[in-house]
Amino acid sequence: MTKFEARQDSITTVDRADGRKVFVKSYGCQMNVYDAQRMTDQLGDGGYAETARVEDADLVVLNTCHIRERATEKIFSELGKLRLLKAERAAGGRDTKIVVAGCVAQAEGAEILRRERAVDVVVGPQSYHRLPDMLARAGQGERVVDTEFELEDKFSRLPKPRATGPAAFLTIQEGCDKFCTFCVVPYTRGPELSRPVAAIVAEARALAEAGVREITLLGQNVNGYHGEDEQGRTAGLAALCRRLAVIPGLDRLRYTTSHPNDLDDDLVAAHRDLPALMPFLHLPVQSGSDRILKAMNRRHTAARYLELVARLRAARPDLALSSDFIVGFPGETDADFEATLDLIRRVGFASTFSFKYSPRPGTPGAEMDDQVPDAVMRERLARLQALVEEQRQAFNAATVGRTLDVLLERPGRHPGQLTGKTPYLQQVQVEGPPDLVGTIVPVTIDATAPNSLFGSLAHRDWARQPARSVA
Ligand code: 5AD
Ligand code: SF4
């Protein structure tokens, strides 16, 4: 599974040097954010300095998302604007190359070149280690498409990742074999592929040495991870977490996104045994109706999900959960929707993402009868979102008065303020000196606002203490 545009749009924002400049914009999930960073690093090694101003860019890379129709339409409207910019720059004697990367590139391939003449290169998520070569060909006037799936580890062909703060992403697995009937990911990201344990451990170690305190392991079906270890055995996600948890300085581990069916006993036990594994889990259920879950090809029931949640909470009593929901999947009745609300009430989520069903060409869902009218979807979505928002606010309010370990990630919006994250992935604003950035400190939560908590350092003289603590 992936996460999407509203949450994660990000723009690379540093100007480094004269000479050629690249502007990279990433849409969609955290995997895309990671990929965009790796592309930027690679292009940096090739002499491109990053720019936050698209007008100045000799190279524009859109790292695209195809998960819902709106995400795709956004890309084509962006490309329309880039066509005009390219023409303007050309009139001033400046060349601009435009690259479409990511899942729209994979899904649409050469069709993008036909639909948008300004595009020079189309590169799928499995091929971007070949981007420098493609750009060289584009420099000769060729229009290039590369959407091959390869079995080799593309990550081993990319430069080593650079830490950009105390929290980092690390992709450990790509692709999905689950074929939920609404989802394009198995088609755009291909079959499940796990990186070897040694490569992941080495990358995590390098990040920790560069000051990273928290790593979020990424994969479309991350708990389906089955990488080869140094002895040639297959390691699951729990085994991998145990290896990572002992890396000095790496105090926090998270992973996303999981499928309930791949959450095995070993991983439940890891949540019990590893303090580094943060007590917050994104575990999408999509619907609370067994009929709809079956039509979605989720291969689990609502009861099974609830049982899994109970086992996780028995292992780690303070575990907070988040989920994805789709409303208006074809055939969804009022009763099916009520079953979803019922599941939400039973679990109590700390946060959620919810969407109207968006038929994606090529997926079985798009061909199903009984598509739900938009007005009905809208009404259901509003009701669902009101309920989960109430739960989210209640969860946040319950942290007031508690002292939580907070990883301070960067200076806050106001002078003297720092921004950090609780173990439950809540954003917190704290008054404190800037040299605490990159450390984990106990913070007493004083108040909540709709999108942030406010806290104060639990030890006023914390700056003079050895600056690390773990839950
Ligand atoms: N329509 C609506 N939501 C979708 N998602 C995936 N495909 C679709 C679709 N066709 C949602 C699911 C998934 C999340 C990443 O996006 O909830 O978990
Ligand atoms: Fe898509 Fe289902 Fe795979 Fe998640 S598990 S990426 S929703 S097919």
Side-chain angles (χ1 to χ4, degrees):
M1 271 158 268
T2 48
K3 297 201 204 134
F4 3 83
E5 67 266 38
R7 289 188 233 175
Q8 279 292 348
D9 286 8
S10 69
I11 299 173
T12 308
T13 55
V14 200
D15 265 334
R16 269 207 308 249
D18 295 333
R20 290 180 303 174
K21 289 189 172 152
V22 59
F23 174 91
V24 182
K25 181 164 182 180
S26 190
Y27 298 81
C29 65
Q30 287 153 330
M31 186 87 86
N32 266 10
V33 176
Y34 177 87
D35 284 350
Q37 190 58 51
R38 303 303 302 272
M39 278 189 266
T40 309
D41 291 348
Q42 184 189 32
L43 291 165
D45 287 356
Y48 282 96
E50 302 163 52
T51 175
R53 286 172 46 86
V54 67
E55 305 80 18
D56 296 342
D58 307 289
L59 176 62
V60 178
V61 180
L62 298 187
N63 195 28
T64 62
C65 173
H66 197 243
I67 195 94
R68 283 170 296 276
E69 190 180 1
R70 224 169 56 84
T72 311
E73 283 316 308
K74 237 167 127 177
I75 305 303
F76 281 104
S77 106
E78 193 78 28
L79 285 173
K81 288 187 227 155
L82 288 175
R83 184 190 337 118
L84 301 180
L85 180 66
K86 184 171 179 162
E88 244 173 64
R89 282 176 48 97
R94 288 176 303 169
D95 186 40
T96 316
K97 292 280 180 266
I98 298 178
V99 175
V100 178
C103 292
V104 176
Q106 189 65 44
E108 308 268 338
E111 181 59 28
I112 298 175
L113 297 185
R114 275 190 287 276
R115 190 166 157 186
E116 186 46 74
R117 61 189 152 81
V119 174
D120 300 282
V121 173
V122 174
V123 55
Q126 302 303 333
S127 315
Y128 66 76
H129 53 292
R130 288 193 291 268
L131 191 51
D133 173 52
M134 288 179 240
L135 287 171
R137 285 160 59 195
Q140 306 297 313
E142 200 182 328
R143 299 180 83 203
V144 190
V145 179
D146 186 341
T147 53
E148 291 298 307
F149 282 125
E150 277 180 35
L151 289 175
E152 67 179 308
D153 180 10
K154 80 176 167 217
F155 297 108
S156 62
R157 294 163 172 266
L158 289 162
K160 294 275 161 277
R162 291 157 205 168
T164 53
F169 294 127
L170 199 174
T171 293
I172 64 166
Q173 179 277 337
E174 288 195 282
C176 182
D177 299 336
K178 290 273 187 276
F179 290 92
C180 300
T181 53
F182 51 82
C183 186
V184 288
V185 167
Y187 311 96
T188 54
R189 291 280 179 159
E192 289 181 18
L193 202 89
S194 297
R195 296 180 65 191
V197 171
I200 296 165
V201 170
E203 194 169 320
R205 215 178 267 287
L207 288 168
E209 276 161 16
V212 168
R213 301 274 77 92
E214 171 178 309
I215 289 183
T216 302
L217 306 173
L218 298 179
Q220 265 94 27
N221 182 24
V222 74
N223 59 336
Y225 176 80
H226 52 278
E228 198 176 272
D229 72 8
E230 294 85 341
Q231 283 75 42
R233 292 175 307 218
T234 300
L237 181 57
L240 179 68
C241 287
R242 288 195 192 95
R243 291 284 302 273
L244 298 175
V246 296
I247 293 177
L250 201 51
D251 298 323
R252 291 179 160 196
L253 287 174
R254 306 179 185 277
Y255 59 89
T256 199
T257 293
S258 297
H259 191 290
N261 289 3
D262 288 336
L263 216 147
D264 60 14
D265 293 347
D266 202 18
L267 195 52
V268 175
H271 278 279
R272 181 193 62 212
D273 301 337
L274 299 178
L277 209 45
M278 288 292 98
F280 178 90
L281 180 61
H282 183 63
L283 189 62
V285 63
Q286 314 294 355
S287 167
S289 154
D290 288 347
R291 222 173 56 80
I292 295 298
L293 287 169
K294 192 159 196 292
M296 287 175 164
N297 192 33
R298 292 288 294 180
R299 297 169 188 263
H300 62 78
T301 58
R304 205 189 123 140
Y305 184 85
L306 292 169
E307 186 244 340
L308 189 54
V309 167
R311 281 202 292 134
L312 282 160
R313 283 181 166 157
R316 180 86 206 227
D318 65 336
L319 188 86
L321 284 146
S322 101
S323 181
D324 292 339
F325 292 95
I326 295 177
V327 301
F329 187 78
E332 187 187 73
T333 61
D334 284 339
D336 293 318
F337 177 64
E338 290 301 330
T340 299
L341 296 183
D342 186 53
L343 179 138
I344 294 172
R345 287 191 198 98
R346 280 166 192 254
V347 175
F349 289 98
S351 73
T352 48
F353 300 96
S354 47
F355 315 96
K356 292 190 296 185
Y357 172 66
S358 167
R360 307 306 287 126
T363 61
E367 306 298 318
M368 289 180 187
D369 297 333
D370 293 336
Q371 300 282 331
V372 176
D374 190 63
V376 176
M377 286 204 269
R378 243 183 298 142
E379 193 263 336
R380 286 181 187 163
L381 188 66
R383 280 183 63 202
L384 186 150
Q385 290 185 338
L387 175 60
V388 293
E389 180 58 13
E390 214 175 274
Q391 293 190 340
R392 189 178 75 87
Q393 299 290 356
F395 180 81
N396 288 345
T399 59
V400 173
R402 289 182 62 193
T403 299
L404 302 175
D405 278 343
V406 170
L407 171 60
L408 298 169
E409 292 183 3
R410 56 179 181 277
R413 228 177 265 153
H414 304 293
Q417 231 181 26
L418 306 173
T419 299
K421 293 265 167 56
T422 71
Y424 310 108
L425 215 55
Q426 298 149 297
Q427 185 169 290
V428 197
Q429 311 296 334
V430 190
E431 302 287 318
D435 61 342
L436 285 187
V437 168
T439 67
I440 298 173
V441 295
V443 167
T444 304
I445 307 302
D446 302 319
T448 66
N451 292 310
S452 196
L453 307 180
F454 294 90
S456 33
L457 296 178
H459 308 309
R460 292 262 163 222
D461 58 348
W462 190 256
R464 289 191 297 279
Q465 306 271 330
R468 271 197 31 230
S469 92
V470 193

